[in-house]
């Protein structure tokens, strides 16, 4: 891995972290009238995976989608416009945080129904095959999605048809407030369930962005060679509440010191420390990097706040694909 890629991975994680921290800061102003599911603590997966993708490759995300959108090349002004419900948003202000879409960036959809993104991604991959396109689809989902029946149906079909799809499980151990141990038998590993469907599957450290990048590069190369679907599980941890901008560890649903232990393995800080120790990053690099991101954030929030709301006549637009023939 080149120094340029390693520094780019750091920049992407820092950018995602700073953007989500700003969203958490201003969300209580009540101007964003949609739920937000922040991924602070999980930045390494989005950055490491999407750094291996081409613009033409497609991504399907779920309700914790900001990082996937940004890492895939989505426009921050359009993302924040969507969170503020403005016409400048990537779904013209009609979807909110949980329904991001940007075909120019390859973000096919973000859908918050647990597990529902998996068949959508498989269908998109099947479409790639039928159209003889040389691209692939990445489906991001959490550990809760594997408990939906459609997960197994989708993996079976993808394996049967050798579809160009990468199943990407971000295992943060909790489905809202329910830990894995009350949902799965002891000792069962998620990636081994996927392996039972005949799909090559691996498990990695989701807080080590270089490991995420390398494992994804291996998987993407195999998929592009026509060897069928791959499955990657990355263990990581969300820091804030399931839905909203606040800390919620006082609720006691997580083990004692569990959050603190994961915060000590902050993916952004881990990679920063590694780059600093190898002389690839210093304060001289950091200052312009932070200034660039801060300026981008300020401009995007100003754009979102000052953009108009969608007019009433837009209510019935974008319901169906208007480019398709009606007869």
């Amino acid at each position: 891995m080149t120094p340029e890629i390693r520094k780019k991975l750091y920049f992407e994680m820092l950018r995602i972290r700073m953007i989500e921290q700003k969203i958490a800061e201003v969300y209580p102003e009540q101007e964003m009238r949609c739920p937000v599911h922040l991924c602070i603590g999980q930045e390494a997966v989005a950055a490491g995976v999407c750094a291996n993708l081409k613009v033409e490759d497609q991504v399907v995300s779920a309700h914790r989608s900001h990082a996937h959108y940004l890492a895939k090349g989505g426009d921050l002004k359009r993302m924040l416009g969507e969170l503020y419900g403005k016409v400048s948003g990537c779904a013209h202000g009609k979807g909110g945080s949980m329904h991001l879409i940007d075909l120019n960036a390859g973000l096919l959809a973000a859908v918050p129904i647990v597990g529902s993104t998996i068949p959508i991604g498989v269908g998109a991959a099947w479409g790639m095959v039928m159209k003889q396109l040389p691209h692939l689809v990445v489906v991001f989902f959490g550990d809760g999605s594997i408990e939906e029946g459609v997960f197994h149906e989708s993996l079976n079909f993808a394996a049967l048809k050798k579809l160009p799809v990468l199943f990407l499980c971000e295992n943060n151990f909790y489905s809202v407030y329910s830990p894995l141990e009350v949902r799965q038998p002891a000792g069962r590993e998620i990636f081994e369930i996927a392996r039972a469907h005949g799909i090559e599957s691996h498990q990695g450290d989701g807080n080590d962005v270089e490991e995420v990048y390398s494992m994804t590069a291996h998987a993407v190369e195999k998929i592009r060679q026509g060897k069928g679907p791959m499955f990657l599980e990355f263990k990581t941890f969300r820091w804030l509440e399931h839905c909203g901008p606040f800390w919620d560890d006082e609720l006691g649903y997580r083990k004692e010191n569990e959050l603190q232990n994961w915060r000590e393995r902050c993916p952004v800080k881990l990679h920063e420390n590694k780059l600093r120790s190898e002389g690839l990053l210093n304060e001289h690099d950091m200052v312009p990097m932070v200034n660039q991101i801060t300026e981008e954030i300020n401009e995007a929030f100003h754009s979102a706040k000052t953009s108009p709301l969608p007019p009433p006549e837009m209510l019935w637009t974008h319901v169906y694909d208007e480019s398709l023939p009606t007869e």
Side-chain angles (χ1 to χ4, degrees), residues 18-215:
M18 290 176 64
I19 291 168
E20 290 234 305
Q21 285 178 329
K22 186 65 176 180
I23 292 171
E25 177 189 330
V26 303
Y27 189 79
E29 294 174 357
Q30 294 290 309
E31 291 186 45
M32 284 182 255
R33 304 303 294 165
C34 64
V36 290
H37 300 76
L38 302 176
C39 73
I40 293 175
Q42 301 186 190
E43 297 88 347
V45 179
V49 169
C50 291
N52 284 285
L53 303 181
K54 300 177 180 177
V55 174
E56 296 82 4
D57 295 325
Q58 293 185 329
V59 164
V60 187
S61 180
H63 51 279
R64 213 172 298 284
S65 60
H66 302 165
H68 306 145
Y69 178 87
L70 295 167
K72 187 62 174 62
D75 184 277
L76 178 58
K77 287 183 180 178
R78 298 190 70 203
M79 188 185 96
L80 291 180
E82 194 57 41
L83 268 61
Y84 275 86
K86 300 299 182 66
V87 72
S88 61
C90 58
H92 305 286
K94 297 190 285 188
S97 168
M98 295 192 293
H99 295 286
L100 301 181
I101 177 171
D102 191 337
L103 298 182
N104 292 329
L107 184 74
L108 186 61
V111 184
I113 305 300
V114 175
S116 66
T117 56
I118 303 173
I120 293 173
V122 168
W126 182 230
M128 297 280 192
V129 172
M130 295 183 72
K131 295 176 182 175
Q132 299 183 326
L133 297 174
H135 315 307
L136 60 89
V137 179
V138 178
V139 188
F140 287 100
F141 52 90
D143 47 284
S145 294
I146 68 162
E147 289 141 22
E148 300 291 334
V150 74
F151 167 79
H152 301 279
E153 298 170 30
S154 300
L155 265 63
N156 180 68
F157 185 78
L160 179 68
K161 298 295 185 181
K162 295 186 181 301
L163 298 185
V165 57
L166 173 59
F167 297 101
L168 205 299
C169 179
E170 292 177 277
N171 179 5
N172 65 18
F173 303 96
Y174 287 86
S175 178
V176 191
Y177 301 123
S178 300
L180 266 173
E181 54 261 35
V182 303
R183 298 160 26 222
Q184 293 285 325
R188 174 184 285 175
E189 296 286 353
I190 290 174
F191 77 104
E192 292 178 343
I193 299 175
R195 186 173 289 167
H197 283 282
I199 296 176
E200 182 175 335
S201 308
H202 303 280
Q203 184 185 70
D205 181 353
N207 280 25
D208 182 338
V209 70
E210 293 192 17
E211 183 168 312
V212 173
Y213 179 88
S214 298
M215 289 178 64

